[in-house]
C-alpha cells in the first residue's frame, strides 16, 4: 500500500504512522535528496517522537538537521525557499490529535507525485554513513523570526490600527505566530485556544469547529480561525457569520483584478468549489478553473495557468505572489486588506458572493473501491442534473468516502446525498 497520500504520509500514530517510517524517510532524504534538512512540527504530542526518528534517520546518513520547533506548515515552506533546502513538516493538519503526518517540502513546494513514488521506493534502502561522516543537529532558533519578518514585509504598508481581531489558534502551530504578526501590523488581538497540551489540537476549536469562536466574539471586527498547521484560514465577520474559502477567493480575486494583480483573469478551485462562486467570478470577468481536491493539484494548475489565486472552501487559499502554499495568516491579511481598501465590512464583501446549498456526507469505510460499484454509479446518474453537481470520492487522508452534492434546491441535493451515502454504507458492510 502506498505510503504517500494526497498530503504526504499520514495516519494514526503507532498504527499507520510509526517512528520506523519517519526514520526511513529521514534516511532516504539525506541519502538521495539533500544533506541539509529543516524540520518543523505542530503541537501534537507525537511530534517529538517522530522528529527524533527523522533526525536519527537523516543524521545516520550524513545530513545536518535544522530543528525549527513548532511552526505552521507555510512557515517551513518559506524557510525552505529562502534557505534553498529540503524540509519535513510533522503535522496532520486538520485531523484529530491521534493522527500525525510527514510532509516533504522542497524549496517551498510539495513534492510531485512521481518524486514521492521514487522516494518511497528508496525508503527501503537504509544507508549508514561512516562514523566520521555522521550528521549533526542544529536548533534553528531564527526560524520564528525568519518567517514572521517575511510575512510582515509582504504586507508592508498595511495598517491594522483600529481593528479588533479574535484569533482561534486551534491549539495548533500558529498559536504564537499569528497573534505576533497581527500585533506587529497594529491590530488589537484577543486569542483563544492557544494553550496546546499535545492532545487538544483541533479538538472542538479552530477552523473545523467555529462554534466556540462564535461564542467568544464580542465587538470584534472579524475572527481568524486556523487548523492545526495553519495553512488554512476560516473567517467570521462582524456579525459572527462564517466566511469560508470560496467567499475569500471570490472577494480577493475581484479586488486583485481591480488592482491589476490577477493574472490572466483566472482563479483556480476544485470540484467542490461552490457553484455560486463560479457565477460571481464569471459576472466579474473571471474564469474559475476546477481541479480535483487537494492543494497540490490547485497549485499545479495555478503554475500551469500562471494564476495568482486559487484554493478550497476549507480555507486553504494560495496567493502565489506571496507564498508557494496556502498560508492562513496571508489569507487573513489579504482579506483584511480588501476590507480596508474598499471601506466595507467583511459581511458586506462576503454577501456579494452567492452560496448555493451544499451537503457533504462522510461514510466510514476501508473499502474505498466501493465508489466504482455499479449501484453507486446508477444512483449518481439518477440524481445528476445540469444545475446539480455530484462528487463521490475516497478521502486521501482518512478511511472515508466523501459524498458531495450541490445545487439550487436544498431538499433535492439532500435526498441525493443521503441515498448515495446509504448505498455506500450498505455495500461496505462486511467488507471492512
Amino acid at each position: 500500500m502506498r505510503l504517500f497520500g494526497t498530503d504526504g504520509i499520514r495516519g494514526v500514530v503507532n498504527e499507520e504512522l510509526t517512528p520506523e517510517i519517519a526514520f526511513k524517510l529521514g534516511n532516504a532524504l539525506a541519502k538521495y535528496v539533500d544533506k541539509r534538512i529543516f524540520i518543523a512540527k505542530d503541537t501534537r504530542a507525537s511530534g517529538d517522537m517522530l522528529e527524533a526518528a527523522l533526525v536519527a534517520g537523516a543524521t545516520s546518513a550524513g545530513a545536518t538537521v535544522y530543528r525549527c520547533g513548532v511552526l505552521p506548515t507555510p512557515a517551513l515552506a518559506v524557510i525552505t525557499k529562502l534557505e534553498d533546502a529540503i524540509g519535513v513538516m510533522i503535522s496532520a493538519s486538520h485531523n484529530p490529535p491521534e493522527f500525525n503526518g510527514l510532509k516533504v517540502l522542497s524549496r517551498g513546494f510539495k513534492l510531485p507525485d512521481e518524486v514521492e513514488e521514487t522516494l518511497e521506493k528508496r525508503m527501503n534502502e537504509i544507508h549508514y554513513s561512516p562514523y566520521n561522516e555522521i550528521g549533526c543537529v542544529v536548533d534553528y532558533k531564527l526560524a520564528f523570526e525568519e518567517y514572521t519578518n517575511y510575512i510582515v514585509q509582504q504586507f508592508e504598508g498595511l495598517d491594522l490600527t483600529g481593528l479588533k481581531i479574535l484569533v482561534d489558534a486551534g491549539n495548533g502551530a500558529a498559536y504564537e505566530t499569528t497573534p505576533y504578526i497581527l500585533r506587529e501590523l497594529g491590530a488589537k488581538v484577543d486569542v483563544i485556544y492557544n494553550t496546546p497540551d499535545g492532545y487538544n489540537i483541533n479538538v472542538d476549536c479552530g477552523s473545523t469547529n467555529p462554534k466556540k469562536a462564535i461564542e467568544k466574539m464580542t465587538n470584534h471586527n472579524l475572527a481568524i480561525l486556523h487548523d492545526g498547521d495553519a495553512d488554512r484560514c476560516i473567517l467570521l465577520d462582524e456579525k459572527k457569520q462564517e466566511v469560508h474559502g470560496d467567499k475569500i477567493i471570490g472577494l480577493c480575486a475581484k479586488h486583485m483584478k481591480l488592482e491589476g494583480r490577477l493574472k490572466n483573469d483566472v482563479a483556480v478551485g476544485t470540484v467542490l468549489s461552490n457553484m455560486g462562486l463560479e457565477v460571481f467570478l464569471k459576472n466579474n470577468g473571471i474564469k474559475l478553473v476546477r481541479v480535483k481536491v487537494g492543494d497540490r493539484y490547485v497549485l499545479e494548475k495555478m503554475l500551469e495557468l500562471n494564476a495568482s489565486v486559487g484554493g478550497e472552501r476549507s480555507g486553504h487559499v494560495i496567493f502565489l505572489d506571496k507564498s508557494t502554499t496556502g498560508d492562513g495568516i496571508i489569507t487573513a491579511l489579504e482579506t483584511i486588506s480588501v476590507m480596508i481598501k474598499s471601506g466595507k465590512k467583511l459581511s458586506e464583501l462576503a454577501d456579494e458572493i452567492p452560496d448555493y446549498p451544499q451537503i457533504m456526507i462522510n461514510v466510514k469505510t476501508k473499502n474505498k473501491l466501493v465508489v466504482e460499484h455499479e449501484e453507486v454509479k446508477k444512483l449518481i446518474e439518477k440524481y445528476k442534473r445540469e444545475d446539480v453537481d455530484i462528487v463521490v470520492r475516497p478521502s486521501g487522508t482518512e478511511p472515508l468516502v466523501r459524498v458531495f452534492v450541490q445545487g439550487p434546491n436544498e431538499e433535492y441535493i439532500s435526498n441525493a446525498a443521503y441515498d448515495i451515502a446509504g448505498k455506500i454504507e450498505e455495500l461496505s458492510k462486511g467488507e471492512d
Side-chain angles (χ1 to χ4, degrees):
M1 193 171 176
R2 191 165 182 253
L3 285 176
F4 284 91
T6 54
D7 201 14
I9 302 171
R10 193 178 295 190
V12 177
V13 173
N14 281 349
E15 292 180 22
E16 297 142 324
L17 179 58
T18 64
E20 181 183 10
I21 292 173
F23 178 91
K24 288 180 176 180
L25 177 62
N27 192 270
L29 287 171
K31 169 65 176 172
Y32 296 105
V33 184
D34 204 330
K35 290 299 183 184
R36 284 197 315 150
I37 300 173
F38 288 75
I39 298 177
K41 57 191 174 184
D42 67 20
T43 56
R44 295 164 209 267
S46 57
D48 291 345
M49 175 186 76
L50 294 170
E51 180 184 52
L54 273 168
V55 168
T59 54
S60 66
T64 299
V65 174
Y66 295 81
R67 293 193 304 197
C68 299
V70 172
L71 282 179
T73 294
L76 186 64
V78 167
I79 290 167
T80 57
K81 185 179 180 182
L82 295 176
E83 300 293 335
D84 192 33
I86 284 285
V88 181
M89 181 69 197
I90 306 170
S91 174
S93 191
H94 62 285
N95 288 154
E98 63 269 25
F99 285 80
N100 215 328
L102 305 169
K103 307 180 195 180
V104 181
L105 298 167
S106 176
R107 290 144 188 92
F109 293 93
K110 292 179 182 178
L111 299 180
D113 288 345
E114 60 273 17
V115 176
E116 286 185 340
E117 288 173 13
T118 302
L119 184 60
E120 186 169 327
K121 290 175 186 174
R122 288 175 169 172
M123 284 171 63
N124 295 314
E125 307 165 8
I126 302 300
H127 172 80
Y128 293 118
S129 294
Y131 81 95
N132 59 339
E133 294 179 13
I134 290 171
C136 62
V137 181
V138 177
D139 284 324
Y140 193 60
K141 296 177 181 178
L142 290 175
F144 181 94
E145 184 181 345
E146 190 169 10
Y147 171 64
T148 55
N149 284 350
Y150 173 84
I151 298 297
V152 171
Q153 287 166 9
Q154 290 294 307
F155 290 91
E156 190 177 4
L158 180 62
D159 185 3
L160 305 188
T161 303
L163 284 182
K164 187 177 180 184
I165 301 172
L166 179 68
V167 173
D168 181 346
N171 289 316
Y175 77 101
E176 290 183 318
T177 53
T178 287
Y180 176 85
I181 290 165
L182 292 171
R183 287 171 180 142
E184 283 291 295
L185 292 170
K188 182 178 180 183
V189 184
D190 293 322
V191 193
I192 57 175
Y193 299 105
N194 60 330
T195 54
D197 63 9
Y199 303 95
N200 60 4
I201 186 171
N202 297 322
V203 176
D204 296 328
C205 59
S207 63
T208 54
N209 193 335
K211 290 180 182 178
K212 295 296 177 69
I214 290 171
E215 292 171 6
K216 300 280 186 181
M217 276 191 84
T218 53
N219 58 338
H220 299 93
N221 297 96
L222 74 155
I224 299 169
L225 287 62
H226 288 310
D227 64 336
D229 69 339
D231 59 355
R232 300 185 185 195
C233 165
I234 292 293
L235 302 173
L236 299 176
D237 65 24
E238 78 286 353
K239 296 179 181 178
K240 305 184 181 183
Q241 299 172 135
E242 184 177 330
V243 181
H244 51 68
D246 286 343
K247 297 243 181 189
I248 292 169
I249 291 167
L251 67 91
C252 286
K254 177 185 175 182
H255 190 76
M256 290 169 77
K257 182 177 180 180
L258 293 173
E259 287 191 326
R261 281 177 60 204
L262 190 72
K263 295 179 180 177
N264 298 320
D265 289 339
V266 66
V268 177
T270 74
V271 291
L272 303 187
S273 297
N274 196 278
M275 294 174 77
L277 169 65
E278 190 166 3
V279 170
F280 172 80
L281 290 176
K282 185 178 180 181
N283 290 341
N284 283 278
I286 302 167
K287 182 180 179 182
L288 179 69
V289 176
R290 296 175 183 267
V291 296
K292 61 183 178 179
V293 174
D295 59 282
R296 65 164 62 230
Y297 306 116
V298 171
L299 178 59
E300 283 174 7
K301 184 58 71 172
M302 288 178 69
L303 292 170
E304 178 189 324
L305 300 176
N306 196 24
S308 305
V309 65
E312 302 175 285
R313 187 182 180 89
S314 62
H316 196 289
V317 183
I318 302 170
F319 293 88
L320 205 50
D321 58 349
K322 287 187 166 62
S323 181
T324 53
T325 186
D327 188 328
I329 186 60
I330 287 178
T331 300
L333 292 173
E334 283 283 351
T335 308
I336 293 169
S337 178
V338 177
M339 290 170 57
I340 292 172
K341 290 175 181 176
S342 67
K344 294 182 179 180
K345 296 176 180 178
L346 183 54
S347 63
E348 296 176 83
L349 293 166
D351 285 348
E352 294 178 14
I353 304 156
D355 212 15
Y356 284 16
Q358 294 181 319
I359 185 166
M360 170 86 83
I361 301 175
N362 294 325
V363 184
K364 286 190 176 181
T365 178
K366 293 178 183 175
N367 177 24
K368 296 182 180 181
L369 291 176
V370 71
V371 299
E372 300 297 330
H373 198 285
E374 199 60 37
E375 290 188 54
V376 175
K377 289 182 177 179
K378 282 181 181 177
L379 270 180
I380 293 171
E381 284 304 312
K382 173 187 171 183
Y383 283 107
K384 216 162 193 179
R385 298 191 323 205
E386 191 176 334
D387 60 348
V388 173
D389 191 25
I390 302 174
V391 180
V392 179
R393 67 179 186 90
S395 166
T397 58
E398 297 175 81
L400 301 171
V401 167
R402 305 192 194 278
V403 179
F404 172 80
V405 187
Q406 66 173 328
N409 187 304
E410 193 162 1
E411 183 180 356
Y412 185 89
I413 68 165
S414 182
N415 289 338
Y418 280 100
D419 271 7
I420 295 167
K423 179 58 67 176
I424 291 170
E425 196 169 5
E426 176 190 321
L427 293 169
S428 297
K429 281 180 181 175
E431 296 187 23
D432 288 350

